[in-house]
Amino acid sequence: MEDDAPRILFVEDDAELAELLTASLNAHGFEALAAGTGAEAMQRAADEEFQLVILDIRLPDTTAYDLCNRLRSQRRTQEWPILFLTEKRGRDDRLHGLELGVVDYITKPFDMTELRLRIRNALQRASQHSTMNAVTELPDAPLVALRLAALPERADPWALVIVAADGLEALRETYGFLAADELMRALALIAQGTVRDLGGQGDFAGHYDATTLLIF
């Protein structure tokens, strides 16, 4: 297996299916690891780095919705692409998954070739947007850090404005991810408007972290 093989966490309580899928993915250039419960998945997510997570919607100790919610609430895992694997076909289930930021929704029975293609597409999309925040489409922390490091070299006067969405986690828990995302998008539009209307050449807006914007 190649050292740079994309690492995939597959969360499935059916041991036979988990073994089949991980073996198939490993044979096609991925590094797939399995977890049989939500607790095991969270422990793996805390200890290891993954490029994509596949969640079965029914787990013995939780649901894919709750597990997705927990992954999205933690800074180091909140941008990991997530696919749902399920027997459910209802519209409400799909909408619930999309609300939580799931990038694809695969129903059983499925074709292994199709699954691999969906995985590759999800990884490719994530790679293309790795420097941009998925919610606000502003530059994300790595790119912002580079711009911050260059500030002392600027010849013209500059100032740094920090916009922090304190209490966003509480808002998300009360009103859901859509409401929290809409708030961050609104703040991003304000930041972009500030740079456009009041800023000069080289001024910039981006993310310090998921809930904090910098304007400079």
Side-chain angles (χ1 to χ4, degrees):
M1 186 177 298
E2 298 180 9
D3 292 339
D4 59 350
R7 304 189 80 242
I8 298 171
L9 177 60
F10 180 57
V11 189
E12 166 64 64
D13 65 328
D14 184 329
E16 288 188 14
L17 179 58
E19 184 177 358
L20 172 67
L21 283 179
T22 53
S24 176
L25 292 173
N26 289 338
H28 285 84
F30 301 101
E31 183 181 353
L33 293 87
T37 66
E40 184 182 357
M42 290 303 299
Q43 186 60 56
R44 279 194 174 276
D47 295 339
E48 305 175 60
E49 189 71 22
F50 294 94
Q51 280 70 56
L52 184 136
V53 181
I54 303 175
L55 303 180
D56 189 283
I57 206 166
R58 294 179 182 274
L59 296 168
D61 59 339
T62 186
T63 67
Y65 302 124
D66 179 64
L67 189 54
C68 181
N69 201 349
R70 292 163 65 189
L71 290 169
R72 287 285 178 257
S73 69
Q74 298 187 15
R75 181 178 176 181
R76 69 177 299 272
T77 62
Q78 63 185 359
E79 300 298 336
W80 291 0
I82 296 175
L83 279 69
F84 272 5
L85 183 64
T86 178
E87 296 175 354
K88 292 190 174 183
R89 300 174 183 271
R91 177 176 177 271
D92 289 344
D93 296 311
R94 291 177 180 272
L95 290 176
H96 195 176
L98 291 173
E99 181 181 1
L100 295 176
V102 172
V103 300
D104 209 343
Y105 208 107
I106 305 167
T107 55
K108 302 175 185 177
F110 55 87
D111 179 81
M112 282 300 302
T113 302
E114 179 186 1
L115 176 62
R116 289 195 298 269
L117 288 174
R118 287 177 182 268
I119 289 172
R120 291 188 188 279
N121 288 342
L123 289 170
Q124 185 177 25
R125 289 195 299 269
S127 175
Q128 290 172 346
H129 294 88
S130 60
T131 61
M132 305 299 287
N133 185 272
V135 173
T136 65
E137 298 185 354
L138 285 179
D140 225 332
L143 183 56
V144 173
L146 292 175
R147 297 294 293 265
L148 277 173
L151 276 179
E153 306 301 323
R154 284 181 59 166
D156 57 318
W158 56 269
L160 175 64
V161 179
I162 302 174
V163 182
D166 291 336
L168 190 69
E169 293 301 323
L171 184 146
R172 181 180 288 116
E173 291 177 5
T174 303
Y175 297 105
F177 276 84
L178 289 180
D181 288 351
E182 285 301 315
L183 174 60
M184 287 307 302
R185 277 192 281 268
L187 292 177
L189 288 174
I190 293 172
Q192 289 173 312
T194 300
V195 171
R196 182 185 64 246
D197 297 338
L198 302 176
Q201 185 175 5
D203 285 342
F204 182 85
H207 279 263
Y208 175 75
D209 58 28
T211 62
T212 306
L213 304 180
L214 300 182
I215 307 170
F216 53 90

